Amino acid sequence: MDSHRRTTVDAAVLPAGQTFTGSGTTGAGQFNGHRQAAMDAGSFHSASERILKAINTVIDGKADAAKLALTVLLAQGHLLLEDVPGVGKTLLAKTLARTIDCSVSRIQFTPDLLPSDVTGVSIYNQSSRLFEFRPGAVFANIVIGDEINRASAKTQSALLECMEEHQVTVDGDSYKLDEPFMVVATQNPIEMEGTYPLPEAQRDRFMARISMGYPDKDSEIEMLETHQATSPLTKVSAVVTSADVAAMIATVQDVYVSQAVKEYTVSVGRATRASAMLRLGASPRSMLQLLRAAKATAALEGRDFVLPDDVVGVAESVLAHRIILDRKAASTGETPQSVIRGILAKLPVSQEMSNSSVRGSGQGQTPAHELRRGR
């Protein structure tokens, strides 16, 4: 059975609070209600390398984007891919989904798309004389939302509860979504006709935003040689199971964060709120997601503790789409990314802070030296 087909509609009645299990996917939903055991260092390293290798065979010259996409998945966040047409936004989303043996659905956002197409709808069954819930496309482990800014604000808002609380409420009844759950959305920032820009509340639900950018010359030549006859996506198969991903997420959750790193993270957020160049600074939710992304980064780098450099490394991707420039700053050529870089430059990391990040690691986690060796 194809585990990557669109989630089918189950005619059975789903009681409120019950988890909907994706169709035909082994392991989907079995992690709800209890915490999965963490993965050992060697298995974590091997699994992450398999995922990245599979993505990089399809997306030429975008290793950083592939790694950030995996970081967001392991940090239990959602990903926004924003760039001009034709640079591989949807291809990256579909490739990431195919590397995992779990349920996947794809939603093509259009102006006439209704919220019930996303979340599901209650339909009256004449034979049983009961209303039955028909799950929408959001009931999957990985949901690909293509051109999300083409749907109306009403339809976009249907994702708010799903992304934040991992549940859907229809007609007063709540239905839990399967874990792991991730929304990967794409949008085109150039074309304005027939689009509805994401409001601040919606953008804040996405952990990170990636701008793919154009490939370099060698990567583009490689693409011309390998993508002519068939798409490399057809050769991609699942390299990890949903159980593996759940275990990798549990490993990331066990990564140690010192008090100094927490204080540094908060200082970054408070600096955005105090900046004269910004009308809107980073939200408290973004601080939490920034630290989660930093923990996933540390684990992928082979450490069981977070360094301030991990926070710096993901700060631009996590924060830039959440802040709003002051008009004066925008008129002088500043961008959200340049403002974040300026703030980070004014918050130097001391050696003492880096040393304190190491202290306390290994308290129930995998020793750092073993993670470095991938053993």
Side-chain angles (χ1 to χ4, degrees):
M1 183 176 291
D2 183 8
S3 63
H4 300 287
R5 60 189 173 87
R6 188 183 185 279
T7 305
T8 57
V9 173
D10 193 340
V13 178
L14 292 180
Q18 178 175 324
T19 299
F20 174 81
T21 303
S23 58
T25 302
T26 303
Q30 65 178 332
F31 314 114
N32 293 302
H34 69 276
R35 188 177 184 277
Q36 182 79 2
M39 183 177 285
D40 65 88
S43 300
F44 183 95
H45 176 77
S46 176
S48 61
E49 286 296 314
R50 291 198 304 272
I51 295 174
L52 292 175
K53 182 179 179 180
I55 296 176
N56 290 328
T57 57
V58 178
I59 309 296
D60 296 313
K62 296 298 175 183
D64 291 341
K67 185 176 181 180
L68 184 56
L70 178 58
T71 299
V72 173
L73 172 65
L74 299 182
Q76 295 180 289
H78 307 288
L79 183 63
L80 180 62
L81 300 170
E82 181 181 277
D83 216 318
V84 297
V87 294
K89 300 186 300 296
T90 305
L91 187 60
L92 174 60
K94 293 170 69 174
T95 305
L96 175 64
R98 286 209 175 191
T99 61
I100 304 168
D101 185 18
C102 63
S103 59
V104 178
S105 78
R106 182 178 181 273
I107 308 172
Q108 182 63 55
F109 282 81
T110 56
D112 60 347
L113 189 73
L114 299 175
S116 58
D117 296 327
V118 177
T119 61
V121 65
S122 295
I123 298 177
Y124 184 72
N125 188 323
Q126 292 184 346
S127 60
S128 63
R129 297 184 179 182
L130 295 171
F131 280 94
E132 299 177 352
F133 177 63
R134 300 293 181 92
V138 79
F139 283 84
N141 294 115
I142 296 182
V143 179
I144 302 173
D146 202 13
E147 296 185 304
I148 190 173
N149 57 332
R150 287 197 175 277
S152 66
K154 184 176 182 180
T155 302
Q156 291 175 7
S157 65
L159 285 171
L160 292 176
E161 181 185 16
C162 308
M163 295 171 68
E164 183 67 18
E165 303 176 38
H166 291 198
Q167 70 175 23
V168 171
T169 300
V170 177
D171 295 334
D173 293 330
S174 296
Y175 306 91
K176 292 291 184 182
L177 298 172
D178 284 341
E179 300 290 349
F181 174 71
M182 180 185 186
V183 174
V184 184
T186 70
Q187 71 170 354
N188 175 10
I190 304 300
E191 187 177 356
M192 303 306 297
E193 185 177 351
T195 61
Y196 303 82
L198 290 177
E200 288 76 9
Q202 184 81 10
R203 292 203 308 266
D204 200 52
R205 295 305 202 276
F206 289 96
M207 174 175 284
R209 180 183 64 181
I210 297 177
S211 293
M212 299 289 291
Y214 293 107
D216 57 38
K217 180 180 178 181
D218 292 338
S219 298
E220 201 159 5
I221 292 175
E222 178 70 18
M223 180 192 70
L224 294 179
E225 293 177 350
T226 58
H227 292 212
Q228 287 190 58
T230 59
S231 171
L233 185 62
T234 59
K235 300 179 181 179
V236 175
S237 58
V239 295
V240 294
T241 65
S242 53
D244 293 332
V245 174
M248 294 174 75
I249 290 173
T251 303
V252 169
Q253 291 174 342
D254 285 343
V255 172
Y256 172 78
V257 183
S258 68
Q259 185 65 27
V261 171
K262 294 176 184 176
E263 292 176 357
Y264 177 76
T265 303
V266 170
S267 68
V268 173
R270 295 181 69 86
T272 64
R273 299 166 204 160
S275 175
M277 290 188 289
L278 299 178
R279 287 193 292 121
L280 178 68
S283 66
R285 180 195 286 120
S286 64
M287 294 299 97
L288 178 61
Q289 298 204 352
L290 177 59
L291 196 58
R292 287 177 178 173
K295 291 173 67 174
T297 300
L300 289 173
E301 290 295 326
R303 283 180 277 104
D304 65 344
F305 57 89
V306 176
L307 292 173
D309 285 348
D310 298 323
V311 177
V312 173
V314 295
E316 190 174 318
S317 299
V318 173
L319 300 180
H321 65 288
R322 305 171 186 269
I323 60 179
I324 299 179
L325 285 176
D326 181 80
R327 292 182 180 178
K328 184 177 180 180
S331 65
T332 60
E334 293 286 350
T335 64
Q337 291 83 356
S338 66
V339 173
I340 295 297
R341 288 193 293 267
I343 289 174
L344 294 173
K346 295 178 181 178
L347 294 173
V349 178
S350 65
Q351 185 63 40
E352 182 180 353
M353 184 185 300
S354 298
N355 291 338
S356 66
S357 303
V358 183
R359 300 191 203 107
S361 64
Q363 298 176 357
Q365 293 90 17
T366 305
H369 66 278
E370 290 188 10
L371 275 171
R372 289 193 191 95
R373 290 198 299 260
R375 299 194 317 184

